[in-house]
Amino acid sequence: MDVFPKEENQTKAVALTMTSMRAGLQRAYLDGLEFIRNKISDTEGEVAKTRLSFYGCNESDEDSYLQYLKECNDHFLTANNELRRKNIKLEVIDSEMRIVTLLNQLREAAEVDKGEIAFITGFWENIKHTVESFHSLVEKFQTNVLNRLNQNCTSYNNADISLEVSNRYTEEISGYIAELERELTNMRLLMKTYDGGIHQDLFSQNSKFAEKVLVSCDLKAFPILRLAPDLAEKMENVCAIARKWLDRDEQYMYEVNNYIKETRNIAKRREEDLKNQKEKQKKIEKAVKTANILLQNNKEKLQKIEVELNSLEGQLNGFKHEKKCRHEEKAQKSSMADFLSITMTQTRKNYNLQMKRQRLVKQVRELEEFLIGLEKELSNVEDELMVKSQERILINEKVETSVKTYDTLKTDFDKYSDNLEKLEQEVNILSGQLLQLEIIQTYKTSPEHVEQIFDRPQTVKLAPSLKEKIKRKRKGLPVTES
């Protein structure tokens, strides 16, 4: 997640605040950068001296440089013309060996020395000394500048945490490193091949001064004339790249300071949001639990009413069945009593029939009374069944309402929890980024780390362990500044 501003806005912000923020960086870090800048300036000064010495000038002047190279070119042409008159095969002058060979051929072939031998001998000594000087400069630059840049002007990155500001810085620094390695390697190869034949493909392209030399001199015949100017240009270029690297490293620290401030503010706001959202989550969770309890209570009530309704329906069916049976029994006994009455009117009085009829009439009367009571009980059960049915309808509506309420609250709670989880992840990412930025700041500006830049005795007491500082930051413990 990218919580930082766009690159162009950041660049403007850095430019506006760089002066005011200088005091915000530790003095030791800035002193370290200044120390390396001075080493670059020393190298540039030595390049200038070597160039002036090669051209025999007291001050920088391209016209004078071109005049000297043209003079060299003319002497080489004169020497070649002398050899050509003697039918001696001409060679491309592209190495020390070819210069020595040319001098030996001149000494043997020339009838009269017009000064070419002395001049070319002087040029040979000059270019030899210049190559040696640049060789020394390259090694001193490697020790005094490049090693310090590699050791102190890179970032402390954590592979698990990606920071836009660090990625951009690392990408640019990697470009500077590649440029420096390419230029220094080309310089070493040019100087190494000076003895037996310089690799002309290693000369710098698109050089304005080289274009002027090409116009004034025959570089196809005398490519050795290009060597010293090219070495000087390459050396100046590596110094320029080293300065860019230093400037980018300082800008990086201003950016890190800005990002720490921004990230800390954003993280603080997100943490406040997270705290508030967690409080709201608790309230929603409580509402969900309450809705769930109400839902379960209504379901239990509904289940209880269902049981009661089933029981009442059982009773009702039982009463109806008994009512039917009693009605049938009553009808049967009434019919028997009526039959006995008819029989008794047609025959003489029979005591047994009379008693039997009386018992049947009594039983019919008792059945009628029982049926009256049964009707009342049946009516009561029907009334109670109707009441319970109404209750079931009401409870069922409550259950449906409770289900909807619970489902809505539960859905809202789940969405809220998901958003809360995302917010928590964002806070964790911000905390990780902030920690990484603070570790970078500690690593880059620690006196213990910066101490390695300076040419000081090993007995100088260093700051407390940088590793211990970083370890304490990772654990969230306070770091005591010495």
Side-chain angles (χ1 to χ4, degrees), residues 168-229:
R168 191 167 60 244
Y169 165 81
T170 301
E171 183 180 353
E172 291 180 30
I173 295 303
S174 298
Y176 296 145
I177 292 172
E179 285 185 68
L180 285 172
E181 288 180 350
R182 183 173 60 253
E183 286 287 65
L184 291 173
T185 299
N186 289 346
M187 285 188 73
R188 289 187 174 103
L189 286 173
L190 279 171
M191 291 184 289
K192 185 178 179 180
T193 58
Y194 159 67
D195 292 341
I198 54 178
H199 291 182
Q200 298 178 47
D201 59 311
L202 299 178
F203 286 143
S204 300
Q205 304 297 319
N206 302 320
S207 167
K208 291 182 178 179
F209 184 70
E211 290 175 0
K212 294 178 181 178
V213 174
L214 183 62
V215 172
S216 302
C217 305
D218 186 357
L219 294 181
K220 288 184 178 181
F222 315 118
I224 195 71
L225 296 177
R226 177 83 193 275
L227 181 59

Side-chain angles (χ1 to χ4, degrees), residues 132-277:
E132 289 172 353
S133 296
F134 276 117
H135 187 275
S136 175
L137 276 174
V138 166
E139 298 313 312
K140 286 169 70 175
F141 179 85
Q142 179 77 45
T143 302
N144 294 337
V145 178
L146 189 56
N147 289 350
R148 284 182 166 94
L149 287 172
N150 280 321
Q151 191 171 22
N152 299 278
C153 294
T154 54
S155 186
Y156 180 89
N157 292 331
N158 184 339
D160 296 329
I161 300 175
S162 178
L163 296 171
E164 180 193 348
V165 64
S166 295
N167 294 340
R168 191 167 60 244
Y169 165 81
T170 301
E171 183 180 353
E172 291 180 30
I173 295 303
S174 298
Y176 296 145
I177 292 172
E179 285 185 68
L180 285 172
E181 288 180 350
R182 183 173 60 253
E183 286 287 65
L184 291 173
T185 299
N186 289 346
M187 285 188 73
R188 289 187 174 103
L189 286 173
L190 279 171
M191 291 184 289
K192 185 178 179 180
T193 58
Y194 159 67
D195 292 341
I198 54 178
H199 291 182
Q200 298 178 47
D201 59 311
L202 299 178
F203 286 143
S204 300
Q205 304 297 319
N206 302 320
S207 167
K208 291 182 178 179
F209 184 70
E211 290 175 0
K212 294 178 181 178
V213 174
L214 183 62
V215 172
S216 302
C217 305
D218 186 357
L219 294 181
K220 288 184 178 181
F222 315 118
I224 195 71
L225 296 177
R226 177 83 193 275
L227 181 59
D230 192 75
L231 290 175
E233 284 190 345
K234 280 181 166 56
M235 203 66 229
E236 285 181 335
N237 190 36
V238 296
C239 289
I241 296 169
R243 284 191 181 278
K244 288 180 182 179
W245 187 342
L246 271 178
D247 292 342
R248 186 64 184 90
D249 195 75
E250 185 174 351
Q251 180 189 348
Y252 178 53
M253 289 311 301
Y254 294 131
E255 290 175 347
V256 167
N257 275 2
N258 275 339
Y259 276 60
I260 286 175
K261 184 178 179 181
E262 286 183 28
T263 307
R264 187 176 287 132
N265 290 336
I266 294 171
K268 185 177 180 181
R269 290 197 299 271
R270 292 293 187 272
E271 285 170 358
E272 287 294 326
D273 289 343
L274 182 62
K275 181 180 178 182
N276 294 333
Q277 297 301 329

Side-chain angles (χ1 to χ4, degrees), residues 316-365:
L316 183 63
N317 291 332
F319 285 149
K320 286 180 177 180
H321 178 71
E322 187 173 5
K323 177 182 176 182
K324 179 182 178 184
C325 292
R326 296 293 182 169
H327 270 295
E328 290 176 353
E329 183 183 357
K330 175 190 168 187
Q332 184 183 11
K333 289 183 176 181
S334 295
S335 178
M336 290 176 63
D338 292 340
F339 175 75
L340 289 175
S341 295
I342 295 170
T343 302
M344 286 173 60
T345 56
Q346 294 176 350
T347 61
R348 287 185 296 175
K349 289 184 178 179
N350 185 312
Y351 180 74
N352 289 334
L353 290 174
Q354 188 176 0
M355 291 301 295
K356 190 175 182 178
R357 179 180 177 280
Q358 287 177 356
R359 284 196 300 274
L360 286 170
V361 170
K362 183 180 179 183
Q363 289 174 357
V364 169
R365 208 165 32 246

